[in-house]
Amino acid sequence: MCGIVGAIRAHHNVVDFLTDGLKRLEYRGYDSSGIAVQTGNKITRVRRVGRVQLMENAAREKGVHGHIGIGHTRWATHGGVTEPNAHPHISGGLIAVVHNGIIENFEEERARLQSLGYTFESQTDTEVIAHSVKHEYERNGHNLFAAVEAACARFHGAYAIGVIADDNHKEMVVARMGCPLLVAFGNEETFIASDVSAVIAFTRNIACLDDGDIALLNANGIEKLLDKNGQAAERKVKVSELSLASLELGPYSHFMQKEIHEQPRAIADTAEVFLDGGFEPENFGTTAREVFAGIDSIKILACGTSYYSALTGKYWLESIAKIPTDVEIASEYRYRDVIANPKQLVITISQSGETLDTMEALKYAQSLGQTHSLSICNVLESALPRESELVLYTRAGAEIGVASTKAFTTQLVVLFGLAVTLGKMRGHVGEEQARAYTEELRQLPGSIQHVMNLEPQIAAWAQKFAEKSNALFLGRGIHYPVALEGALKLKEITYIHAEAYPAGELKHGPLALVDENMPVVVIAPHDKLLDKVKANMQEVSARGGELFVFADLDSNFTESEGVHVIRTPRHVGDLSPILHTIPVQLLSYHAALARGTDGDKPRNLAKSVTVE
Ligand code: G6P
């Protein structure tokens, strides 16, 4: 969702960085892009609807050249996908602004600015920032920092902004409230970006801004920074470990394909903490032993795919650790009257660590006195882990495809590790059982590699799915969240309408939809509910539905008319949901290929959802 870049480069053309950085932020999801560069004593702007490449071509044709500039990929919220709505927004040729987030009181601000004589060219909330800063800038004798400070004091909502002025050749002002923004430091060049992927081709030295920060930047770094209390502050500079190769496609056609295939490695890397360090609370933070000892229940808050990993985690936490666990969609929780329990551990799960609803849900829980929090997150130093008492990072590496794959399975590894850790602490998992769990984890990457070998068979199924308009996914027990994730993947990237149900619910409604045009995917490994699942499948067959069954060798399924079966190599015990996620990911990926949709950048969706 909206990406921001900006730079002050003493010796180089800023356009090279802006376009490269915006391309690296494309994965966040966007529908238009633009740059504004100070060229001599004016601001030159180029904006285009569609891919960044179109905008870059236009900028090159125009010969845009300068040493200070800002850029943006826009994911439309206020106003349609049009060039006038694309960022940067400019006020009076004097001030240019890029913005990620939503200014909630923009209508009042727009009315106020209109009464001051400002006219609006777009339907965006962002244009009020440009006019508001310009208004203050002219009033205060062209002090850019003070102008942004005064303007921000008027805004309610979430924002990360970058601002330049046509008559300031050396400085840029940035501000952050609720949306991600970092500053990166090169050799006589300073960059800003929504995330580190945009800058690492240029520098690895970064500092994340905190909520409420306003900073004045020049080519040598941060000239001045005030925190949310208006106090001078410094932000720690860190060296990013993100590898450039993780942002490149390599031999793959799509990032989603690459990321599906990276799962054996990502899972092994994530499991390492438990394989090397045992199922010990310290893996989650130095104070975790004490925190875990004092909790009586767990609440997990998340969105999208991360929510489905939470649903899976609930099964493990209740069956292995015997701790009551409740899972809630973050955007619902944050607006609900909640009965607070200070002895409850609040877990947030997020690939990006920046999802606004998850962040706000955590803050809401904390405001109710729920002080014990753990974040399971993939992006180092992102907002959620920084706000949480405890953290364990998934080690999936950069996930670029909008539809989450390796982040999901690595989140499951952490949740499983947490369940065993708590189970041990609470006396429900003995040494021998812990060793058995360790062995299951150790074997998992190899088993997943075997599932990858089923790709040609799954791709053949995908051809059939590509012709359909609807699909049902069924699972029971701990495999029900896998069905949910399978349906989500399919709808996200192929636009086929897909729904998931616990198989036992079939006859309470969805069975009415079943006919020969409704493919029904069943997750049916050999577990205690298998016979129940088989009975549910009979209900589908009897109505002429076509079944596509993912089972393991022990499930004893045979193919028959209208019943297709793909068998995973063997049953992997408690970790079966992780294994059975791979086939549904591959099914969606190949169905997208067959339908010609862009699996990496599905329409209307964004990778990092930093607005409500
Ligand atoms: C977006 C992404 C999903 C992701 C969800 C939650 O919708 O497209 O892939 O699952 O946000 O994101 P998070 O970063 O919090 O896991």
Side-chain angles (χ1 to χ4, degrees), residues 303-306 349-353 355 402-404 411 492 606-607 609:
C303 302
T305 287
S306 297
I349 305 181
S350 173
Q351 187 287 128
S352 63
T355 301
V402 164
S404 186
Q411 287 166 355
E492 273 182 311
K607 179 79 185 155
V609 181

Side-chain angles (χ1 to χ4, degrees), residues 273-274 276-285 288-289 292 392 417 420-422 424-425 431:
V273 66
F274 303 113
D276 290 356
F279 295 104
E280 299 302 329
E282 284 69 23
N283 293 328
F284 297 85
R289 187 173 293 274
F292 289 172
L392 185 55
V420 179
T421 305
L422 290 172
K424 264 183 79 183
M425 281 187 78
E431 283 306 321

Side-chain angles (χ1 to χ4, degrees), residues 315 475-480 502-504 522-537 557:
Y315 286 87
R476 287 194 81 142
I478 197 164
H479 295 97
Y480 166 52
V522 191
I523 319 296
H526 183 70
D527 65 11
K528 63 179 184 212
L529 291 170
L530 181 62
D531 289 339
K532 307 273 176 213
V533 174
K534 284 183 175 169
N536 300 138
M537 286 165 51
F557 273 103

